[in-house]
Amino acid sequence: HIIQTKARAGSKAWGALPGPLRQEIDAMIERRKPKVGWKRVLRLFTNSSRRTRIVATATRKSKRYGTFPGIKIKRLQHLAVAIDTSGSVSDDYLSMFFAEIHGIWRQGASVDVIECDAAVQRVYPYKGKLPATVAGRGGTAFDPVFQHLRKQRMTRYDGCIYLTDGYARKPEIRPPCKVLWIITPGGTKEHTNFGRAIELPPGP
């Protein structure tokens, strides 16, 4: 799979490819549809905690005054999305994870990706483009992500979405926000707590 190839490629090898080819590969990956209906799930998941902002719009007529510009309510969601990058997660599941992340991002959420195996490896904002590589491929632990979130006292997250196969010890550190677990097909929900879990369906 070309998605797996990018996940395995080093940054130097990826950078050596011609620009148009890299763009086409990125476009192919981004067209992979997420398996979760994120519009509904995010509405239910963060409804109690997400913030709103009133913005002016020249295209919506003011109901009160019958003039332009009107106003609309823009919902703000800042989500931490943790990816299990341990050795038990296959390249195909990693590409599946990024398809879900892209689906979340397309719903207008601000997404910070946290790559973690037995420790937090990298944290970065997702802007619609895939990273050249992922860091990790060791053991699995969930607590480092929740510990990281607790340390980010200046950053308020509306929720944490954790993409994993579920094979790790049950976390003991309580996260500072709501958690939604997204489990790979055939994974386990046994060791997930602090939130609900959804298992992804098998297939492309």
Side-chain angles (χ1 to χ4, degrees):
H1 290 70
I2 200 160
I3 302 173
Q4 299 173 14
T5 302
K6 179 172 181 179
R8 285 195 298 262
S11 57
K12 184 177 291 187
W14 176 251
L17 293 174
L21 179 58
R22 292 200 306 270
Q23 292 173 8
E24 179 60 25
I25 292 173
D26 278 337
M28 290 173 65
I29 296 172
E30 288 163 14
R31 285 195 295 268
R32 179 171 181 166
K33 293 183 179 180
K35 295 177 180 292
V36 175
W38 285 110
K39 183 174 183 178
R40 178 176 179 274
V41 169
L42 290 180
R43 185 173 68 246
L44 296 173
F45 174 54
T46 61
N47 188 52
S48 61
S49 60
R50 65 183 166 182
R51 293 148 288 165
T52 58
R53 182 176 66 193
I54 297 176
V55 295
T57 170
T59 59
R60 178 168 295 187
K61 196 173 184 178
S62 170
K63 293 181 179 179
R64 183 173 181 182
Y65 299 109
T67 59
F68 294 96
I71 61 170
K72 66 178 179 179
I73 301 298
K74 185 173 183 179
R75 300 195 181 279
L76 304 176
Q77 294 172 296
H78 190 187
L79 301 175
V81 181
I83 305 178
D84 180 352
T85 60
S86 65
S88 65
V89 176
S90 69
D91 290 343
D92 195 49
Y93 284 155
L94 283 176
S95 68
M96 183 184 292
F97 288 170
F98 277 102
E100 301 307 317
I101 291 173
H102 195 70
I104 296 167
W105 176 78
R106 289 191 65 182
Q107 291 303 317
S110 173
V111 174
D112 287 345
V113 174
I114 304 172
E115 296 180 359
C116 181
D117 52 3
V120 171
Q121 299 290 342
R122 290 197 306 175
V123 181
Y124 52 90
Y126 182 77
K127 300 294 185 182
K129 295 294 181 182
L130 296 172
T133 60
V134 295
R137 318 312 278 156
T140 313
F142 298 139
D143 275 331
V145 167
F146 297 154
Q147 186 175 35
H148 171 80
L149 294 179
R150 292 185 70 87
K151 288 181 177 179
Q152 303 305 302
R153 296 182 180 179
M154 300 301 292
T155 303
R156 177 185 169 188
Y157 288 107
D158 296 311
C160 173
I161 296 171
Y162 210 126
L163 299 148
T164 177
D165 60 6
Y167 291 103
R169 293 180 60 184
K170 184 169 288 190
E172 298 178 355
I173 297 175
R174 180 173 290 278
C177 57
K178 297 172 68 174
V179 178
L180 176 66
W181 301 88
I182 304 297
I183 309 298
T184 58
T188 177
K189 301 177 184 178
E190 182 181 357
H191 298 149
T192 58
N193 58 348
F194 304 127
R196 61 178 294 219
I198 298 174
E199 183 176 345
L200 295 172

